Amino acid sequence: MRTGIILFMLALVLGVFNHSVLRKEQTISTGRSILLDLAPRDPRSLIQGDYMQLRYRIAEQVSGDQLRDKGLLVLSTDSNRVAEFVRLDVGEPLAPGELRLIYRLRDGVRLGPDSFMFQEGQANTYAAARYGELKVDAAGQAVLIGLRDSSFNLLTPVPSKSSPE
Amino acid sequence: MFGPVLIVLTYMESHDPTARIPWIEALAREGLLSETAQDSARRHIRPASAWHAWAQNLLLMLGATLVLAGVVFFFAYNWQAMGRFLKFGVIQAAIVACILVSLRFRDHALSGNIMLMAACMLTGVLLAVFGQTYQTGADAYELFFAWALLITGWVAVSQFAACWFLWLILLQTGTVLYWVQVAEPLHHTPFETLCIGIASINLLGLIAREIGSVMGFAWLKARWHRALLLMTLLSALFIPTFAIILDIDDSSATRLAAAILWLIGSAGAGFVYRKLLPDMAALSLVVTNACLMLIVLLGRIAFDQVHNMEAFIFLLMAVIILGVVSLATFYLRRASRAMHAEQPERAP
Amino acid sequence: MKQSKLLANLVSEGVLDPDVRDRIVEQNRQPAESDPIGIKILAGIGGWFAALFLLPFIGMIADSMNSGIGWLVSGIVLLVLAILLRRKTQSTFPGQLALAFALAGHLAAVGGLVEGLSNRYEWVSAILAHAVVMGAVYPFFNSGIYRFIGALALGIMVTLWVIVELDAFPLIHALIAIETLTIGILMQERSRHPSLNPLFVAAVCMLPATLVFMDVTQMDSWWHSSFRGAIWPSSLIVAAGLVTLFVRIAGGWGSLRRPWLLAVVLAVILLGLFTTPGILVAIGLLGIGFADQDRLVSAIAFVFLPVFLVFYYYTLHVDLAYKSAVVTASGILLLALRWGLRQLQPAEGAS
């Protein structure tokens, strides 16, 4: 009995987890890539290591009474894939080039991922971040897949281990 | 930092018919035991086999703690060179291994429990790495709730206090974070509601613990859980009650509710741990908590009533404190003696 | 083992006279005169706050005289009153009053002494004044609470003095050596003089606390970035203390010839050197707590162990990858040691 419960829970934990991984991977592989303008602000979390807090410029442009706890924004992208805010989504069809992105209302509008975690000691590399690169699927779910600098280069960790100060 | 010490401390002393070394030392001090008799008594109480078992348990707990801490540190480093699927695979394999190994031990043996606990911890590591990989930073409360939820089944069958302890901490951390990240900014939920929420979690835990202990579950015999749950419960309600006394004009309905709950909780706990489940340490906690509140209340009244006599008012405060604390210690000493008389054979 | 069974064993071994045994049994019927710890804590908190509120009143009297002398004189008067009160009666209210008088009198006397001494060395004069007053009162004022608070305050003051004022990192190691030694010496002595017990408990609190202080200064948010240094001397000091403890438990230095004890000793030194000395302190205190069946000491150890691990996570010097490797390897070493220990017969173990 006890063994049964323990094994059943094991299957459940692994199942739930891998299902979540699958969903994220689907967003990454089928989603559309956009860049969001950043206003960066960096501490260490208890069990996840070093990270940088992100604030998206678009989030600062959105305001108004129509905002709900959780909803969709309509964005359009320019030739560099940098996204701009168009309007709040009220269900009408999208114009060509437009896409939807989920927002949540917290202390102001929050767009999906608001922090970027990186390998310890790489803070200097990511200090140059200017854009966050998101993969957005049709439902507006987004995964932050990387940071880019002002000339749109993807920031990658320096291979040599930089010494911690 | 000293809070937890005080809790564990409260169990230092209680009537104990089992021979203990402090008793031996006291006898030796009175000249009733010679040096050889003292050494011999020590060997009887702490034979080589006891040391052997102690060392084994200590090594097991420390070793397991360090290995787990090492695993946490490893993934917190957030290796870029290691692919995400490799990370997921390694941690999941470790969880499976822990569960399988724990099943190989006799039910509820310490080693098996520690492996189950390790699986619970690794589940948290797995979720943390998930968060790192997909940058799901937004709502950290989700991580703690998901973690608590996923391990609920293992915790429920574990019969291991440390597992429950972890589970309760996760639940409460999640609750606090939910209040900080969602409830307060979005719904302007008052702080008092959070306090009542935390108190409810601890109250449920405490009730479950007492029922289980009365039903005779051996793993619930240790009394540090009781003190910890009771202390968190009373402290959570203490803060809003304290706020009412300091600023009576600014008392919302929730704050008032919390204060009433504090009153009921203190009185109820006092009754339970004096009459139903006599426990000197728990009773002392309740009384100390009530004393603090009473002193603050009387102090507040004194400061309101007396003006322009600063030195006098401080003297008055000192007298109030001395009076309240003396009354409380007087009561506790009597209760302690009464408990002795009622149940002289109570084991610690 | 029940008390009666133990006494019977001692009698049959011939180390205890049967008459004495009967006296012990008779004495045991009376309830213990010592308060449960919960009452001690309540009384301590009450005495401390009452003392704080007494101070402004003393100040009024003191200011009517030359202020420094005034504080000193009123402090001494209060201390004498406290001692007399304590000698006269053991009942609740006077006892509580005596404690408040003693603490307030202590603070006033120390304040008066500091005022009278040079202003240039505030820390040193405060520590000296505190030590002098405590030294004078300790033997005469029979209250564990006063003795504990006094000794603990002394330890905290000296530690803060080293960290904040002197800003000399190596002195931390000296502090840790003194605290380790104090614990070692008092472990032997306190069973003979119960008045030393509060001092022992204070030392047991101060040793891990000093290490935590040290850890805090090593975090990157610490404001005094110059206060850095190698931690290994402390590790060695604490390891030496721990090894001495083990050997004592195992029954003398001759027992070092046993290979498993040598393995334990080596493991301890390695563990301390590579991780954090705090872990060694926790192990040592758990050992003392088990040997003397002192739950207070065990409780302090259990509380500090996770604190050390968390601080170790946040302190700099080395990155998480290194820490992870070292901590995991230490854990595996301990588990291996346990496996080795399991293979031995209990009879061969220490006593």
Side-chain angles (χ1 to χ4, degrees):
Chain A
M1 170 64 181
R2 183 172 180 269
T3 309
I5 294 176
I6 290 179
L7 288 178
F8 173 74
M9 286 310 298
L10 177 64
L12 196 73
V13 169
L14 299 186
V16 167
F17 176 76
N18 289 306
H19 176 72
S20 315
V21 170
L22 212 66
R23 272 181 41 196
K24 291 282 181 192
E25 289 299 328
Q26 265 167 2
T27 303
I28 292 176
S29 61
T30 63
R32 208 170 125 189
S33 171
I34 60 164
L35 299 181
L36 292 185
D37 211 350
L38 290 179
R41 278 182 288 156
D42 39 357
R44 172 180 283 189
S45 87
L46 188 62
I47 54 173
Q48 288 179 302
D50 289 359
Y51 69 98
M52 170 191 276
Q53 281 195 337
L54 306 178
R55 188 110 187 116
Y56 300 106
R57 219 145 258 157
I58 283 187
E60 290 163 8
Q61 296 162 2
V62 185
S63 59
D65 300 334
Q66 304 101 308
L67 287 172
R68 282 168 296 154
D69 291 1
K70 185 182 169 189
L72 290 163
L73 301 178
V74 176
L75 307 175
S76 68
T77 56
D78 67 9
S79 55
N80 284 321
R81 292 183 294 141
V82 177
E84 267 165 47
F85 172 63
V86 180
R87 60 175 186 275
L88 287 174
D89 184 61
V90 285
E92 72 262 26
L94 293 175
E98 286 182 346
L99 75 161
R100 295 192 177 94
L101 178 65
I102 289 182
Y103 72 83
R104 281 161 208 270
L105 196 60
R106 293 287 187 268
D107 210 5
V109 170
R110 197 185 271 174
L111 301 177
D114 66 346
S115 62
F116 183 77
M117 306 200 171
F118 49 83
Q119 181 171 317
E120 184 180 356
Q122 297 284 353
N124 292 336
T125 313
Y126 292 103
R130 183 66 214 290
Y131 297 100
E133 182 171 11
L134 277 72
K135 287 277 192 177
V136 187
D137 65 15
Q141 301 273 6
V143 177
L144 176 65
I145 59 169
L147 299 179
R148 290 180 184 262
D149 66 13
S150 52
S151 39
F152 306 111
N153 298 315
L154 188 65
L155 298 172
T156 43
V158 189
S160 67
K161 250 179 31 180
S162 62
S163 64
E165 64 256 54
Chain B
M1 183 170 75
F2 286 104
V5 179
L6 295 187
I7 296 174
V8 196
L9 270 190
T10 40
Y11 289 126
M12 253 180 64
E13 284 171 52
S14 55
H15 184 71
D16 188 358
T18 314
R20 293 173 46 79
I21 285 170
W23 176 68
I24 301 293
E25 286 174 342
L27 293 180
R29 230 177 278 133
E30 289 168 41
L32 294 169
L33 287 184
S34 65
E35 196 86 4
T36 28
Q38 202 189 337
D39 286 347
S40 171
R42 271 178 183 273
R43 269 196 303 279
H44 279 297
I45 297 174
R46 285 278 179 257
S49 58
W51 274 106
H52 207 260
W54 175 81
Q56 277 192 35
N57 282 344
L58 181 72
L59 286 172
L60 177 61
M61 281 194 297
L62 271 180
T65 308
L66 288 181
V67 170
L68 270 177
V71 172
V72 170
F73 290 8
F74 178 85
F75 286 103
Y77 185 77
N78 199 352
W79 296 83
Q80 292 300 313
M82 198 174 171
R84 55 184 189 262
F85 297 116
L86 180 59
K87 282 186 200 164
F88 294 153
V90 167
I91 303 171
Q92 294 188 64
I95 294 178
V96 172
C98 286
I99 291 294
L100 292 183
V101 172
S102 92
L103 290 176
R104 277 185 53 87
F105 288 100
R106 193 167 36 84
D107 273 12
H108 316 308
L110 181 62
S111 313
N113 275 334
I114 284 181
M115 294 314 280
L116 203 58
M117 176 90 180
C120 292
M121 295 295 295
L122 285 171
T123 307
V125 174
L126 188 63
L127 294 180
V129 173
F130 181 84
Q132 279 177 345
T133 308
Y134 299 118
Q135 307 290 355
T136 59
D139 293 320
Y141 74 89
E142 285 175 344
L143 185 144
F144 287 95
F145 279 145
W147 185 355
L149 201 66
L150 286 176
I151 64 172
T152 305
W154 291 331
V155 172
V157 298
S158 69
Q159 305 213 356
F160 188 40
C163 270
W164 281 100
F165 195 58
L166 170 73
W167 189 76
L168 280 170
I169 288 181
L170 294 179
L171 207 60
Q172 293 180 56
T173 313
T175 308
V176 172
L177 286 176
Y178 180 77
W179 181 79
V180 171
Q181 295 177 330
V182 180
E184 209 280 325
L186 198 55
H187 306 299
H188 305 289
T189 311
F191 176 68
E192 288 76 14
T193 311
L194 172 70
C195 291
I196 294 176
I198 294 290
S200 319
I201 294 175
N202 286 284
L203 178 64
L204 289 177
L206 188 60
I207 291 174
R209 187 228 167 254
E210 299 303 5
I211 291 175
S213 148
V214 168
M215 282 167 68
F217 288 119
W219 62 281
L220 285 171
K221 275 262 162 61
R223 289 187 300 167
W224 60 268
H225 343 118
R226 172 186 284 165
L228 207 60
L229 290 165
L230 185 62
M231 181 146 150
T232 323
L233 164 65
L234 290 179
S235 320
L237 295 174
F238 184 90
I239 302 165
T241 315
F242 187 78
I244 284 199
I245 292 177
L246 288 193
D247 192 358
I248 192 88
D249 303 325
D250 180 32
S251 48
S252 61
T254 22
R255 203 177 263 192
L256 218 61
I260 292 169
L261 287 176
W262 177 83
L263 213 62
I264 297 174
S266 300
F271 175 74
V272 168
Y273 295 118
R274 172 68 191 86
K275 296 289 178 197
L276 301 183
L277 307 159
D279 179 349
M280 198 53 212
L283 190 64
S284 308
L285 255 177
V286 175
V287 171
T288 305
N289 189 285
C291 271
L292 288 179
M293 195 67 87
L294 191 60
I295 288 169
V296 174
L297 179 67
L298 292 177
R300 174 73 217 251
I301 293 172
F303 270 88
D304 277 352
Q305 299 301 318
V306 187
H307 302 284
N308 305 327
M309 296 150 93
E310 272 92 8
F312 171 72
I313 206 161
F314 281 114
L315 189 64
L316 185 64
M317 268 314 285
V319 172
I320 288 174
I321 295 173
L322 284 172
V324 171
V325 172
S326 297
L327 272 177
T329 40
F330 181 72
Y331 165 74
L332 283 176
R333 277 189 189 134
R334 253 191 32 192
S336 167
R337 252 176 265 131
M339 280 186 205
H340 254 277
E342 287 157 19
Q343 287 183 300
E345 286 301 304
R346 244 188 100 80
Chain C
M1 189 181 288
K2 299 281 178 204
Q3 291 180 351
S4 51
K5 174 126 186 284
L6 177 75
L7 293 176
N9 280 341
L10 294 182
V11 170
S12 66
E13 282 169 18
V15 290
L16 182 65
D17 194 45
D19 293 344
V20 179
R21 194 249 320 256
D22 295 344
R23 263 172 62 202
I24 294 175
V25 172
E26 180 57 35
Q27 194 185 27
N28 256 15
R29 295 237 174 79
Q30 295 149 15
E33 44 189 89
S34 169
D35 277 336
I37 188 75
I39 296 181
K40 281 186 190 161
I41 292 171
L42 175 60
I45 297 174
W48 177 249
F49 279 104
L52 286 185
F53 280 106
L54 277 176
L55 275 183
F57 191 71
I58 305 166
M60 223 171 57
I61 302 167
D63 283 339
S64 59
M65 299 181 258
N66 172 344
S67 121
I69 306 271
W71 280 107
L72 183 60
V73 170
S74 20
I76 292 174
V77 168
L78 278 177
L79 283 169
V80 170
L81 271 176
I83 293 170
L84 292 179
L85 208 56
R86 180 90 197 172
R87 297 242 156 141
K88 197 112 186 146
T89 163
Q90 292 287 326
S91 54
T92 308
F93 184 76
Q96 200 60 41
L97 192 66
L99 180 63
F101 276 1
L103 290 171
H106 183 106
L107 287 170
V110 169
L113 278 176
V114 171
E115 184 116 351
L117 290 167
S118 155
N119 284 332
R120 273 184 54 206
Y121 305 103
E122 279 177 346
W123 277 97
V124 183
S125 40
I127 291 170
L128 276 179
H130 176 72
V132 166
V133 175
M134 194 181 92
V137 177
Y138 197 105
F140 302 108
F141 188 58
N142 175 23
S143 152
I145 299 166
Y146 169 82
R147 288 168 174 168
F148 172 73
I149 293 178
L152 192 71
L154 182 65
I156 293 175
M157 281 164 82
V158 174
T159 310
L160 287 178
W161 174 53
V162 166
I163 292 179
V164 177
E165 174 82 11
L166 293 183
D167 206 9
F169 188 82
L171 280 179
I172 281 267
H173 301 312
L175 263 181
I176 284 167
I178 294 170
E179 284 158 0
T180 310
L181 256 165
T182 311
I183 292 177
I185 294 170
L186 289 179
M187 239 191 102
Q188 312 264 3
E189 292 299 318
R190 69 176 173 143
S191 54
R192 267 164 252 164
H193 310 279
S195 65
L196 290 177
N197 200 36
L199 200 60
F200 173 76
V201 179
V204 162
C205 290
M206 269 324 287
L207 176 60
T210 307
L211 284 168
V212 169
F213 278 133
M214 180 169 87
D215 280 341
V216 171
T217 61
Q218 302 304 296
M219 290 168 70
D220 52 352
S221 48
W222 178 251
W223 44 274
H224 245 102
S225 58
S226 62
F227 196 75
R228 293 265 154 82
I231 300 200
W232 60 266
S234 278
S235 303
L236 280 185
I237 293 165
V238 178
L242 193 50
V243 168
T244 318
L245 176 72
F246 282 159
V247 167
R248 223 199 87 187
I249 289 168
W253 291 101
S255 56
L256 264 185
R257 254 170 272 138
R258 293 176 198 162
W260 68 267
L261 190 65
L262 261 182
V264 169
V265 165
L266 264 173
V268 155
I269 295 172
L270 287 178
L271 187 65
L273 277 184
F274 284 103
T275 59
T276 160
I279 291 185
L280 295 187
V281 169
I283 296 177
L285 295 184
L286 285 173
I288 295 176
F290 188 74
D292 288 352
Q293 288 192 315
D294 192 332
R295 291 191 207 134
L296 171 56
V297 177
S298 309
I300 294 170
F302 267 120
V303 168
F304 272 103
L305 186 64
V307 174
F308 285 127
L309 277 176
V310 170
F311 273 112
Y312 181 60
Y313 177 84
Y314 281 104
T315 48
L316 286 180
H317 288 312
V318 286
D319 60 27
L320 278 173
Y322 171 84
K323 284 180 193 164
S324 157
V326 164
V327 170
T328 313
S330 318
I332 292 172
L333 179 75
L334 293 187
L335 291 177
L337 211 62
R338 173 179 188 265
W339 183 83
L341 208 57
R342 260 180 96 93
Q343 311 305 312
L344 292 160
Q345 291 302 311
E348 236 242 291
S351 73

